[in-house]
Amino acid sequence: MTEPLQAVPRTLLEAVERAAALWPDRVAWRFDPGSELTFAEVDRLTARYAAALHVRGVRPGSRVAVLLRNQVEFPLTWLGLVRLGAAIVPVNARYQATDTAHVLAVSGADLVVTSPEFFSLLQTAGASNVVAVSDLSAHDGPAAPAYTPSADTTVNIQMTSGTTGRPKGCVLSHTYWMTLGGGMLSEFPHLNRHDVMLTAQPFSYIDPQWNLVAALLAGAELVVLDGFHPSTFWAKVREHEVTYFYCLAAMPTLLLRMPMDPADRRHRVRAVQCSAIPVHLHAELENRWGVAWYEAFGMTETGADLRVTPSDHDELVGSGCVGAPTSCREARIEPDTGELLLRGTGMMDGYLDDPAATAAAFEDSWFHTGDLARTDDAGRVYLVGRLKDMIRRSGENIAAREVEDVLLTHPAVRLAAVVGVPDEVRGEEVKAYVVADGVEGTELAAYCAEHLAAFKVPRIFSFHQDLPRTPSERVEKAKLAALPGAVEVVV
């Protein structure tokens, strides 16, 4: 049901305090496995975390890295930082030492909040100021000095991969979060206090975070799973009486591969939003679970940009359409390149300490997405490809150059080029074209695994005597697929 909307708070701090005042005894978060908290408890505990962080030197403008799994301490730390005017730097728990060291260096994090399982990793990554999150939760000292953030105060340094190959920090403000979260109430799916939302992605990603913000604004309950497990996912949806969830990448395909269950349609879900719904599986998804699946498009840099709504859902099932712009967004196609450009309020403030990358991304306030697209007569957008040299595997963005740089440090590798190839389950798989002597694909995969997160490691290796190159000695990736005589290894 759609309820009358109250004014959206200007900041996340206002959102926390407003939720505690309106719905103090309602369950705000339910971690499975883990604990549950009411909105009043979220308000009280985030104040405790703020006090503990203040004692450890966190001040307005500080940047604090958080390396935790899906546990209640993650968002408590995040909102504790909000109370101090400090910014969180979420760190992917799947990262190895090389990735982690880069994030810490690029972000300029003053402190790392983590759990004992990551102490050794952080030591290898060179982190010097590390605190166990249990020390924050156990704090019993005086409250931190009151701080009132403005709408443009930085809340996150959210890492994302760019075309240069290494992750860059997206600077996200309160306006970003209030625009994204507020739009989930004022527009479809019109979240409200009767909803139970569910997220299954790592909290270091943007999606669980906007789920949390939208739930705070709506007074909805948010269920947080420890990860995405296809065999038990719908059982959890039924157990928690979930009414809404968002998913992406390989998730719908993996769910469909699970055995049919007589209980498949016994649930309370009223809407599923999903990015990159497999076109040929869209109708099957809806038929099996008896609920509409709505395409949506967004980016870390821009928030929530395009979405299909109930008004045009039926005609667009299986079309690949990602919808029309939200009320805060404009979209257009660059006529010379076919690239999708976006403009509007509530986008990132830029890439951290990287004015050149920021200027390249924004042109006359239009953000270059790197996606090739077309529009129909109604202004709805259809993605047709990508300009950026990126691979999207199971929802993870992987910069080809980052993988290439690691391969080229192996003593046997003379030349390497990495591309994405279609994969039925993962969307894309990582394939490496390699010129090397006396080395097997399994050895190269193991070598990459020592330096990269597991999702970045190539699964396909194609060995050649040479690779096509331009006059400037860059590999011509467009010609790689046509190379003859490959010795190909799948690991």
Side-chain angles (χ1 to χ4, degrees):
M1 69 182 66
T2 302
E3 297 183 336
L5 289 174
Q6 300 182 17
V8 174
R10 295 173 59 254
T11 69
L12 264 172
L13 178 54
E14 290 179 16
V16 170
E17 295 174 341
R18 169 180 172 271
L22 290 174
W23 313 290
D25 300 323
R26 288 180 58 86
V27 173
W29 307 337
R30 193 184 304 275
F31 280 72
D32 182 358
S35 56
E36 63 180 59
L37 295 177
T38 65
F39 287 105
E41 288 172 325
V42 169
D43 185 39
R44 176 175 57 82
L45 289 174
T46 55
R48 174 188 295 178
Y49 275 59
L53 290 161
H54 185 266
V55 167
R56 287 159 177 80
V58 177
R59 299 292 185 269
S62 295
R63 300 169 191 160
V64 176
V66 176
L67 175 54
L68 294 169
R69 300 196 184 275
N70 277 18
Q71 56 200 80
V72 72
E73 292 85 356
F74 195 118
L76 287 175
T77 302
W78 182 30
L79 297 179
L81 292 168
V82 165
R83 289 181 174 275
L84 297 174
I88 187 174
V89 182
V91 182
N92 193 327
R94 297 173 63 187
Y95 275 176
Q96 298 299 319
T98 301
D99 299 308
T100 302
H102 176 76
V103 170
L104 297 180
V106 167
S107 67
D110 307 296
L111 176 72
V112 183
V113 176
T114 190
S115 59
E117 71 167 303
F118 298 112
F119 283 173
S120 177
L121 171 72
L122 288 165
Q123 183 178 20
T124 304
S128 58
N129 193 8
V130 178
V131 60
V133 71
S134 57
D135 292 344
L136 304 184
S137 59
H139 181 78
D140 190 26
Y147 176 84
T148 303
S150 64
D152 59 0
T153 298
T154 299
V155 178
N156 288 54
I157 305 298
Q158 191 75 28
M159 305 307 295
T160 187
S161 292
T163 55
T164 55
R166 300 293 285 180
K168 298 189 290 291
C170 297
V171 180
L172 310 182
S173 69
H174 288 276
T175 296
Y176 175 98
W177 288 114
M178 294 301 99
T179 302
L180 202 170
M184 299 297 288
L185 280 65
S186 61
E187 300 177 62
F188 181 78
H190 297 293
L191 297 171
N192 60 73
R193 62 186 176 86
H194 302 288
D195 277 308
V196 178
M197 304 165 62
L198 180 142
T199 185
Q201 292 174 267
F203 239 100
S204 58
Y205 288 78
I206 205 78
D207 299 322
Q209 296 173 39
W210 67 249
N211 270 263
L212 183 143
V213 174
L216 275 175
L217 294 173
E221 177 182 325
L222 177 63
V223 177
V224 182
L225 304 183
D226 62 349
F228 175 66
H229 310 293
S231 62
T232 58
F233 182 84
W234 276 98
K236 290 298 181 183
V237 168
R238 289 188 288 271
E239 176 186 342
H240 295 294
E241 299 188 328
V242 171
T243 63
Y244 168 90
F245 67 84
Y246 167 84
C247 64
L248 77 167
M251 295 170 73
T253 301
L254 293 172
L255 289 172
L256 276 175
R257 290 190 172 187
M258 296 299 102
M260 299 283 285
D261 189 319
D264 275 344
R265 286 184 167 229
R266 294 202 290 268
H267 57 75
R268 295 185 60 235
V269 178
R270 64 178 179 87
V272 178
Q273 285 188 298
C274 182
S275 295
I277 299 174
V279 171
H280 63 294
L281 298 178
H282 196 161
E284 185 179 353
L285 287 162
E286 299 197 349
N287 290 335
R288 176 163 175 180
W289 284 288
V291 63
W293 288 58
Y294 298 87
E295 261 286 3
F297 174 91
M299 303 176 67
T300 301
E301 289 93 334
T302 58
D305 308 304
L306 311 166
R307 67 187 66 158
V308 172
T309 68
S311 65
D312 52 10
H313 163 270
D314 292 353
E315 67 173 294
L316 296 176
V317 170
S319 70
C321 180
V322 296
T326 61
S327 63
C328 62
R329 200 65 73 236
E330 297 176 74
R332 70 177 179 91
I333 309 300
E334 213 288 323
D336 294 331
T337 64
E339 183 181 9
L340 172 65
L341 307 182
L342 298 169
R343 182 171 69 177
T345 59
M347 292 185 172
M348 72 168 182
D349 293 331
Y351 293 113
L352 179 68
D353 298 331
D354 198 337
T358 301
F362 288 96
E363 184 178 354
D364 294 329
S365 74
W366 287 95
F367 181 80
H368 288 254
T369 65
D371 289 294
L372 299 172
R374 65 176 178 85
T375 57
D376 62 18
D377 292 340
R380 298 172 303 203
V381 177
Y382 300 73
L383 301 182
V384 297
R386 279 203 307 279
L387 282 174
K388 293 182 178 180
D389 193 11
M390 297 290 294
I391 302 161
R392 190 164 178 84
R393 180 182 186 273
S394 296
E396 305 276 9
N397 288 322
I398 303 165
R401 180 175 171 179
E402 184 178 7
V403 184
E404 291 162 356
D405 287 347
V406 169
L407 282 169
L408 290 170
T409 63
H410 191 284
V413 174
R414 289 184 281 127
L415 194 61
V418 172
V419 299
V421 294
D423 183 89
E424 182 178 339
V425 173
R426 298 174 179 86
E428 285 188 310
E429 190 53 272
V430 184
K431 180 175 182 177
Y433 290 82
V434 179
V435 178
D437 297 317
V439 65
E440 301 284 346
T442 51
E443 180 182 338
L444 290 180
Y447 180 79
C448 288
E450 294 176 3
H451 300 276
L452 297 167
F455 62 82
K456 300 180 182 180
V457 175
R459 298 298 189 271
I460 306 169
F461 289 84
S462 185
F463 290 86
H464 299 268
Q465 294 300 311
D466 200 358
L467 300 179
R469 281 169 280 176
T470 66
S472 60
E473 292 300 307
R474 295 180 179 178
V475 174
E476 290 189 273
K477 291 189 175 181
K479 297 182 178 180
L480 292 175
L483 287 177
V487 178
E488 193 156 290
V489 178
V490 180
V491 297

